[in-house]
Amino acid sequence: MDKTAESIKSKFLELGVDIPLEDIVERLDKLVTKFKVPLDEARRSVITYFLKENNLDRNAFFGGQSTTPDSRSTPDVKLNGIDEGGKWVNIKAKVLQLWDSSHESVSQVGIIGDETATIKFIKWSRDTIPDVEEGKSYYFKNVVSNEWNGRFEITLNKNTVVEEIDEDIEVISSPMAGAGDGQPAPIVNVADIAEDGKWVSIRAKVSQLWDNSHESISQVGLVGDSTGTIKFIKWTSAELPDLTEGSSYLFNNVVAQEWNEKFSVTLNKNSSIEELDEDIEVASSSIIFAGAMVDVQSGSGLIKRCPECKRALTKGACMEHGKVDGTYDLRIKAVLDDGNTAQESILKRELAEQISGITLDDAISMAADALDQGVVLDQMRLKLLGKYFTVTGSKVDRYILVDSIEPQDEMDMEMLDELIADAEMI
């Protein structure tokens, strides 16, 4: 996000307008973090805002490039001819791969190619454009090129027209070469995953499996090796075997994806999983956070999990296995506040029992006596809210997945002095 902000600032400086970098970062962060707007869309929104604020014409910013297509002048280009962002083009290409997306704003995303190159494409949900199919060729009229971290992609928008063509377009050897043709992608270290859309294979250990409520996602969590950790998503459509937390695997033909400057890997129908008879060492990526527990969120306390996939049940049903006879578990979804940051944290059964003093058997008995599972959450809130804790764990998205937690009798006095000083300056 910082690189995007610097790029926007630099472009405005060329026009003689010096916009404070922190103002650009603030608007980008609000759109991306709070409103979950994709970074490309957020970038365009921020540019538009500051153009209006400074009475500048869009053509001045985009170097005379139109922001809407002219059907008479939009050129037909080969994919290797896409060498600048913000350009309207027409292309003929074959859909090589469709990726599942958990982002509601994205209708379809994947890779297309022709005889000269391959490129990532994005189709937004808000635009009424027919879906494309893997393996078919299309004439894409009025798509827009975008550049991100030195790589190009195209986006389909409300002005785009998609026409299926009979021609079977020959495609250059692509980043997905090896996937689906029996040849695995090269094995890389987790720390070396740094290119969006690239096919790789990794040897990694499943560090954590997380709950998820998306029907399209079979499993999601964290895998790692000696060089680092990375989020993984296994799509339901891939029909791959379930992974076990703590086990090590060879993941063949997974796709690296970048979202808001963070990388993850996705397992799809071209991927394969081989369990390894070894315990892969995972690099430590722990952080420490201290603060007061200001909330114990709903979904905490006594819950039930699917006996098959261990997902938390919603109204007695698993997203993947339907109505099941769930098994009881305890967890705490806490919010810790250090005076500057409200940090969401997730504690599994052992830690929930440790800090609340309520065992799983206690919780089951309490719920049975009260005929209400919510009584456990109420008791946890009474015992924990307002107390200070220090947690250690992995930071993933907005959560800390807690490995250890220690109570603090009092807030650290040095921290308290800093908070008072900050408050006096406001």
Side-chain angles (χ1 to χ4, degrees), residues 189-261:
N189 293 325
V190 166
D192 295 330
I193 295 175
E195 183 178 343
D196 187 31
K198 187 172 183 178
W199 289 80
V200 298
S201 299
I202 57 174
R203 296 167 61 89
K205 181 178 182 177
V206 179
S207 302
Q208 294 161 345
L209 292 174
W210 309 334
D211 293 328
N212 88 89
S213 57
H214 295 282
E215 292 184 5
S216 60
I217 296 176
S218 169
Q219 286 184 299
V220 60
L222 203 65
V223 297
D225 62 14
S226 60
T227 68
T229 56
I230 193 168
K231 177 181 177 181
F232 82 90
I233 298 172
K234 179 163 70 71
W235 300 111
T236 304
S237 58
E239 298 182 346
L240 293 169
D242 281 344
L243 305 171
T244 303
E245 195 170 287
S247 295
S248 299
Y249 301 88
L250 170 60
F251 299 92
N252 283 315
N253 297 331
V254 300
V255 181
Q257 289 192 309
E258 183 181 13
W259 187 260
N260 291 346
E261 301 182 349

Side-chain angles (χ1 to χ4, degrees), residues 56-91:
L56 293 172
D57 184 73
R58 289 183 67 85
N59 287 341
F61 188 91
F62 292 103
Q65 296 170 358
S66 174
T67 58
T68 56
D70 181 344
S71 59
R72 297 168 298 176
S73 59
T74 304
D76 287 4
V77 301
K78 298 294 184 183
L79 292 181
N80 68 351
I82 296 176
D83 55 7
E84 62 179 303
K87 190 173 182 180
W88 290 87
V89 295
N90 302 328
I91 55 175

Side-chain angles (χ1 to χ4, degrees), residues 325-337:
D325 186 12
T327 57
Y328 281 113
D329 194 12
L330 280 181
R331 74 173 174 193
I332 294 176
K333 299 171 70 176
V335 179
L336 300 176
D337 196 323

Side-chain angles (χ1 to χ4, degrees), residues 272-345:
S272 65
I273 301 170
E274 301 173 26
E275 187 167 2
L276 301 175
D277 187 21
E278 62 178 294
D279 185 15
I280 292 177
E281 180 184 352
V282 178
S284 174
S285 58
S286 293
I287 68 166
I288 299 174
F289 188 89
M293 190 173 295
V294 296
D295 190 18
V296 177
Q297 298 174 319
S298 59
S300 300
L302 185 63
I303 64 170
K304 278 192 170 183
R305 295 188 181 277
C306 174
E308 297 292 328
C309 63
K310 308 306 180 186
R311 288 177 175 170
L313 302 184
T314 302
K315 296 182 179 179
C318 171
M319 296 296 294
E320 183 170 353
H321 299 102
K323 287 283 186 180
V324 294
D325 186 12
T327 57
Y328 281 113
D329 194 12
L330 280 181
R331 74 173 174 193
I332 294 176
K333 299 171 70 176
V335 179
L336 300 176
D337 196 323
D338 66 359
N340 293 309
T341 303
Q343 176 62 59
E344 295 179 76
S345 306

Side-chain angles (χ1 to χ4, degrees), residues 119-135:
I119 196 169
K120 177 181 176 181
F121 82 94
I122 298 173
K123 180 163 73 73
W124 303 113
S125 301
R126 68 187 181 201
D127 301 320
T128 54
I129 301 171
D131 284 346
V132 296
E133 295 182 32
E134 208 169 89

